[in-house]
Amino acid sequence: MPLFIFCQETILMTAERSTPLDGVVEKKIRSERRVLQYPHLRENDLLWEKRVWRLIDTREKMNLTFRNPKENFFQVLIEGIESGAIAAYSPENDAFEFPMAQQDVMDELVFRDTLPVYDPTTLEPTMQIIEDQLDPARVVRYRLKEVWYFDKKHGTLNVRILGIAPMIVEEDAQGNFKFERPLFWVYYPDCREWLARHEFYNEGNDHQQLSWEDLFEMRRFASYITKESNVHDERLEDRLSGLDRLLKSERINQEIFNFEGDLWSY
């Protein structure tokens, strides 16, 4: 009788699921988990803050998960914009002042070029507009805007990411590099719920389901600083180059982490 009941339950479970289970158990933890809200902060609680801009290069080994063909981070952002779960903002500035319409974002993903098309019979050329969709693999870098601040109420140094912008390289007709620009900005605090429902590839443990929101909150990515808040609103590349720029980026990082220790030392 127990064996018969077990077989009945197995048949019913198989009937409910239309496709075979690709794994040992059905994973529901990530889909049922909720985003942990940021703690409430008062203006008087902030003793110090500094804004920095970072660049994530997905070609680095630690960032290869951003280029996962099954769950490319750029595709996750685009799907969120298409569904209305994520709002995009104009790349004209990073203050999130000018929202972009969904169609405007989609237009940014289409490249149009005028090319001659030859008639196979008369060999006469006809100019036609050719459209090509942006390959997600072309987005290799992301710009981050974040704020480091010291909470005197709890005596801790914290960081909050404010925005993320995918970067695209512009080339000339010969395929030479011209410049790099952001496609759009997304306001990260409003994206957390969407990112928490999408899993990134966690190397080393296929069972531990971590979301893109976990990746950013746990800061499991490699990056370097390209700008800090300054009176001239300059980027590091505007006045430094090569090794000097990397050393300055590292000094800014060190100054931020030393700030908390200096408070308790002096």
Side-chain angles (χ1 to χ4, degrees):
M1 181 63 70
L3 179 61
F4 175 73
I5 295 175
F6 174 77
C7 292
Q8 267 193 327
E9 291 179 350
T10 304
I11 293 173
L12 289 174
M13 291 173 63
T14 306
E16 292 176 357
R17 191 168 52 243
S18 58
T19 58
L21 178 63
D22 184 18
V24 181
V25 295
E26 190 171 355
K27 299 179 180 179
K28 299 180 179 179
I29 295 178
R30 179 172 54 84
S31 60
E32 297 175 352
R33 185 174 49 190
R34 293 294 176 264
V35 172
L36 182 64
Q37 297 300 317
Y38 286 137
H40 174 69
L41 284 175
R42 300 181 307 145
E43 185 177 357
N44 290 337
D45 293 336
L46 297 183
L47 178 65
W48 170 89
E49 71 174 45
K50 177 181 281 291
R51 297 191 175 206
V52 297
W53 288 256
R54 295 180 178 273
L55 206 59
I56 297 176
D57 194 327
T58 61
R59 294 167 294 189
E60 294 188 35
K61 184 176 181 180
M62 188 173 179
N63 299 329
L64 289 179
T65 185
F66 283 85
R67 302 176 63 82
N68 184 4
K70 293 183 178 179
E71 194 80 10
N72 187 290
F73 180 65
F74 182 69
Q75 291 176 319
V76 172
L77 292 181
I78 295 300
E79 290 173 5
I81 294 173
E82 289 179 330
S83 67
I86 296 178
Y89 294 86
S90 171
E92 293 181 9
N93 61 43
D94 52 24
F96 316 104
E97 294 178 335
F98 309 108
M100 292 180 66
Q102 187 181 110
Q103 187 57 47
D104 293 338
V105 177
M106 297 301 108
D107 290 341
E108 285 288 331
L109 307 182
V110 178
F111 293 89
R112 297 176 177 85
D113 196 3
T114 304
L115 298 175
V117 177
Y118 293 89
D119 187 278
T121 305
T122 63
L123 299 181
E124 291 293 330
T126 304
M127 303 305 292
Q128 293 187 6
I129 298 178
I130 306 299
E131 293 187 352
D132 188 20
Q133 290 288 333
L134 174 64
D135 183 2
R138 287 188 57 189
V139 180
V140 297
R141 303 210 292 184
Y142 295 87
R143 184 178 293 171
L144 260 64
K145 177 184 179 181
E146 60 187 20
V147 175
W148 288 84
Y149 64 93
F150 186 82
D151 181 1
K152 67 179 183 181
K153 180 179 180 180
H154 300 94
T156 56
L157 180 69
N158 301 316
V159 59
R160 285 193 189 178
I161 298 174
L162 295 182
I164 304 174
M167 308 293 290
I168 186 69
V169 172
E170 294 289 348
E171 300 174 342
D172 58 20
Q174 288 73 37
N176 299 318
F177 174 85
K178 291 173 57 180
F179 57 87
E180 189 178 41
R181 65 176 179 88
L183 281 171
F184 53 82
W185 279 94
V186 294
Y187 187 58
Y188 174 74
D190 290 345
C191 300
R192 294 178 65 211
E193 289 286 350
W194 175 261
L195 297 179
R197 296 198 293 269
H198 291 79
E199 182 181 0
F200 78 92
Y201 177 70
N202 182 21
E203 187 174 3
N205 189 349
D206 291 341
H207 174 67
Q208 186 181 22
Q209 290 184 299
L210 295 177
S211 67
W212 285 105
E213 194 264 347
D214 292 324
L215 179 141
F216 286 108
E217 293 299 323
M218 297 166 66
R219 303 190 70 81
R220 297 182 58 165
F221 57 85
S223 65
Y224 57 92
I225 293 177
T226 59
K227 177 184 174 182
E228 65 172 335
S229 52
N230 61 88
V231 65
H232 299 295
D233 197 31
E234 291 180 334
R235 295 175 297 178
L236 297 185
E237 63 181 25
D238 294 334
R239 49 194 173 88
L240 298 171
S241 62
L243 183 59
D244 292 335
R245 187 168 61 190
L246 292 177
L247 291 175
K248 178 61 176 178
S249 172
E250 186 57 34
R251 281 198 296 271
I252 296 172
N253 254 331
Q254 199 61 44
E255 290 170 1
I256 292 174
F257 288 115
N258 288 342
F259 179 84
E260 183 178 18
D262 292 343
L263 283 177
W264 298 118
S265 298
Y266 301 102

